[in-house]
Amino acid sequence: METKPRILIIDDEEVVLDSCSQILKGSGYQLEIADNGVRGVELVQEFQPDLVFVDLKMPGISGFEVLEKVREIDATIVTVVITGFATVSSAVDAMKKGAYDFLPKPFTPDEFRMIARRGIERRRLMLETIALRREKELLREQFASIVSHELKAPLGAVQQNLFALDLELEQTLTSSQKIKMERIMVRIAELLKLINSWLRVISVDINKLKDGFTQLSITKPVSNALESVAALAERKNIEIVSSINAELPPILGDAISLAEVFVNILSNSIKYSPDGTRVVLNAGVQGQNLVTSIQDAGIGISPEDLPHIFEGFFRGKSGQAMAGHGIGLAVARQIVDAHHGSISATSELGKGTTFLVTLPIFVKD
Amino acid sequence: MTKRLLMIDDDPDFVSGIKAILDTGGFEVDVAYNPKDGLAALQTKQYDLLLLDIMMGRGAEGIMIARKLRKDARLRELPVLILTGMREQIAFLFPGEPIHPRFVEIDELVEKPVEPKLLLEKVNSLIAAAETKKAGRK
Ligand SMILES: Nc1ncnc2c1ncn2[C@@H]1O[C@H](COP(=O)(O)OP(=O)(O)O)[C@@H](O)[C@H]1O
């Protein structure tokens, strides 16, 4: 059985409350009334209305305040303001602040019924939209699990068997056969990596990271990241110079995912820099924040591309020549966001790029 | 003495890849393709190590097994190597930095697929850790 739509009317004039109750009697709505703002707000909590009529001019807390409170409690509740003719302009103000409609006094029963019906319809649509959005989210999660089961698991099984085969044939294969074998395994490893990074983007609720936040020094994720990219840097003969020391104030966060942030930025710095150049890491206090900078002398990012590099699945002109998926920086940004920090980049084509990771300093309370 | 291992994993192809490597390494490997058979094997036979898949059947059924192990005075001592395909759930693995979920006293987690050298290394070191622990108590 469908529940009856709920309407709340908040007005200090008894006549208005009475006539509204009268009009809506028997029309399939559940009705509550309040003769002042404070009681009205209480009822919003208890009664959980779909639609609230609010008189703008009441003694005590004003209609505007009530509107604001309603929105704080549940932004999907539809509000309609009741006003006298003289105060139509304040009705406009109210609608600018999110009221859906207004009901001018005096009103006929038909006018009131119509506005009530429209308000209820509006609420229904809002809830439906939210439900649809949720459904989409579920589908997204579903998609992630399909990707992991139907794609990743078989590929993993293939790779596992290749590993075994490679081991068993160690003494048998010629060197050119070994090279082919190696090529297959490398390509599969790359595919697995790609699937992992997709999954990372679509399935991981980065906000859940917050449950595991601890007080830590930025040196931990930075040095973990440096370790991770060391081989990559060596291959390109790029020297990474870090002047980050342990003296810095602590931050609150998740060391593993922060390391991922730095790995993603650093591997770009290496990837998009010519051989033999330097990457410079620095960190310092700026106000309430700890700012870490990663500066490269690479190919740079064009001004058109720069605003988009954190968006996800975006590959700049500079990126197109290289292997990549346009995911690293999007993930980095999500992680930094979850830490209540920010990430930004400045760049000059042909000169290099500097990334800044800003994280709030941990304060004991 | 030959070490005896039990592997619980519902993907036969994956299992064959792992088993072949362990065979080469001189281990004796029993396989169970579902948690039920796995638990039955654990009850009836003595093993030196368990290789456990986490995501089986309709979800994280491997975790249930780990829970059962923890409650069993004898099985609690069994070292467990957890194999998981759910990399994104465990965030970011550092090269060389081991992950110990502590489902049981001695365990370690590695990602699927796992390279032969790493697999044999982990199996050997977990068995050694369990033996050291046992010897220390005597
Ligand atoms: N240090 C850098 N120097 C030049 N371009 C960069 C740098 N870092 C990122 N970019 C640009 O930003 C894009 C997005 O980066 P990212 O999300 O890591 O994906 P990708 O896998 O393509 O590197 C890249 O394709 C590249 O064009």
Side-chain angles (χ1 to χ4, degrees):
Chain A
M1 196 191 73
E2 209 167 311
T3 51
K4 285 184 186 169
R6 283 188 287 263
I7 299 179
L8 169 65
I9 302 170
I10 310 171
D11 198 313
D12 60 318
E13 284 178 66
E14 217 170 297
V15 210
V16 177
L17 294 177
D18 280 349
S19 63
C20 288
S21 313
Q22 205 58 43
I23 297 169
L24 291 185
K25 205 175 232 170
S27 53
Y29 298 118
Q30 244 177 290
L31 188 70
E32 283 283 347
I33 50 175
D35 64 2
N36 64 72
V38 175
R39 178 65 192 139
V41 172
E42 272 171 27
L43 273 175
V44 171
Q45 308 253 31
E46 292 164 17
F47 179 53
Q48 301 187 332
D50 296 293
L51 171 63
V52 181
F53 285 93
V54 186
D55 184 11
L56 278 186
K57 268 178 70 184
M58 287 183 292
I61 79 166
S62 79
F64 278 103
E65 279 173 77
V66 173
L67 284 178
E68 215 150 276
K69 290 259 162 63
V70 171
R71 197 157 49 181
E72 273 168 30
I73 294 166
D74 181 350
T76 67
I77 294 176
V78 175
T79 49
V80 172
V81 294
I82 307 173
T83 69
F85 264 131
T87 52
V88 167
S89 70
S90 48
V92 175
D93 288 344
M95 286 173 74
K96 276 187 196 146
K97 291 213 170 99
Y100 170 63
D101 206 346
F102 72 100
L103 180 66
K105 271 190 285 197
F107 48 82
T108 67
D110 274 344
E111 280 169 343
F112 179 62
R113 267 190 222 108
M114 193 187 72
I115 288 181
R117 202 182 323 119
R118 278 217 316 246
I120 290 293
E121 177 61 15
R122 163 83 178 173
R123 162 80 171 175
R124 198 183 59 76
L125 281 176
M126 279 179 92
L127 292 182
E128 200 157 286
T129 312
I130 290 171
L132 279 177
R133 203 177 308 146
R134 242 181 243 142
E135 229 168 66
K136 230 162 122 186
E137 224 134 79
L138 266 179
L139 277 177
R140 221 164 104 120
E141 277 167 29
Q142 185 79 4
F143 178 66
S145 92
I146 290 172
V147 169
S148 62
H149 287 113
E150 310 302 319
L151 224 81
K152 195 180 155 184
L155 211 53
V158 169
Q159 183 79 318
Q160 196 63 63
N161 280 276
L162 282 170
F163 284 158
L165 201 59
D166 187 52
L167 186 70
E168 284 165 27
L169 297 178
E170 212 174 5
Q171 311 301 329
T172 327
L173 292 183
T174 66
S175 60
S176 85
Q177 286 169 330
K178 274 192 184 148
I179 289 171
K180 290 186 194 106
M181 198 68 180
E182 185 64 31
R183 208 176 282 153
I184 298 173
M185 291 189 294
V186 166
R187 294 306 281 264
I188 292 182
E190 280 171 6
L191 267 179
L192 282 167
K193 238 168 111 181
L194 173 59
I195 295 173
N196 278 330
S197 56
W198 281 348
L199 282 173
R200 193 84 177 78
V201 174
I202 53 184
S203 76
V204 175
D205 184 355
I206 291 198
N207 284 313
K208 284 209 187 102
L209 282 180
K210 289 179 186 157
D211 304 342
F213 277 7
T214 52
Q215 183 185 336
L216 61 103
S217 157
I218 195 79
T219 50
K220 184 170 163 50
V222 166
S223 58
N224 277 331
L226 286 174
E227 228 168 85
S228 284
V229 300
L232 196 65
E234 199 174 321
R235 222 173 299 146
K236 286 195 73 174
N237 188 27
I238 285 177
E239 190 192 356
I240 305 183
V241 192
S242 168
S243 59
I244 297 178
N245 58 40
E247 302 296 292
L248 294 163
I251 52 167
L252 189 68
D254 175 56
I256 290 177
S257 59
L258 284 176
E260 186 174 3
V261 169
F262 292 117
V263 167
N264 293 358
I265 296 175
L266 281 167
S267 19
N268 281 341
S269 305
I270 297 166
K271 204 160 75 174
Y272 299 110
S273 291
D275 287 23
T277 52
R278 277 181 150 199
V279 173
V280 181
L281 257 94
N282 240 314
V285 175
Q286 268 178 33
Q288 318 282 354
N289 294 315
L290 187 69
V291 180
T292 309
S293 66
I294 302 99
Q295 182 181 12
D296 67 51
I299 56 178
I301 304 168
S302 71
E304 307 96 81
D305 285 351
L306 197 56
H308 304 291
I309 56 170
F310 297 106
E311 281 170 7
F313 300 106
F314 175 82
R315 315 230 37 229
K317 251 185 248 112
S318 54
Q320 277 154 24
M322 313 276 173
H325 318 299
I327 287 173
L329 291 181
V331 169
R333 199 205 62 209
Q334 285 182 35
I335 294 172
V336 173
D337 280 353
H339 284 80
H340 307 290
S342 64
I343 181 169
S344 64
T346 52
S347 187
E348 204 174 324
L349 271 181
K351 289 246 169 83
T353 307
T354 303
F355 281 88
L356 295 179
V357 177
T358 305
L359 294 164
I361 291 168
F362 175 69
V363 269
K364 267 205 200 89
D365 47 18
Chain B
M1 209 180 68
T2 312
K3 299 292 178 201
R4 197 185 257 258
L5 318 182
L6 175 68
M7 177 165 192
I8 311 179
D9 191 311
D10 63 355
D11 182 344
D13 291 337
F14 180 77
V15 168
S16 82
I18 292 283
K19 192 173 173 317
I21 295 168
L22 293 171
D23 289 345
T24 316
F27 293 99
E28 203 172 296
V29 187
D30 285 352
V31 179
Y33 294 103
N34 59 61
K36 200 168 148 256
D37 292 353
L39 283 169
L42 285 170
Q43 296 301 344
T44 48
K45 275 191 182 170
Q46 188 86 35
Y47 291 101
D48 297 295
L49 176 127
L50 171 66
L51 295 124
L52 182 63
D53 180 24
I54 290 295
M55 300 305 282
M56 278 185 289
R58 267 171 293 140
E61 290 187 12
I63 306 252
M64 311 287 285
I65 297 181
R67 251 180 232 151
K68 289 219 168 95
L69 293 185
R70 212 163 36 217
K71 284 196 200 126
D72 187 309
R74 180 177 67 91
L75 293 176
R76 204 178 307 158
E77 322 258 288
L78 185 66
V80 179
L81 182 62
I82 298 154
L83 303 170
T84 178
M86 295 276 123
R87 180 184 201 270
E88 67 284 356
Q89 306 292 358
I90 45 175
F92 193 72
L93 293 183
F94 293 107
E97 204 167 296
I99 293 188
H100 302 287
R102 296 257 176 267
F103 288 151
V104 291
E105 270 177 53
I106 298 174
D107 64 14
E108 183 156 359
L109 184 147
V110 294
E111 190 192 344
K112 285 178 174 185
V114 42
E115 288 191 39
K117 194 167 151 273
L118 186 75
L119 178 65
L120 295 173
E121 232 174 71
K122 296 294 177 196
V123 166
N124 281 317
S125 72
L126 283 172
I127 292 176
E131 278 171 355
T132 311
K133 195 154 186 204
K134 220 172 186 177
R137 218 173 358 207
K138 266 176 198 158

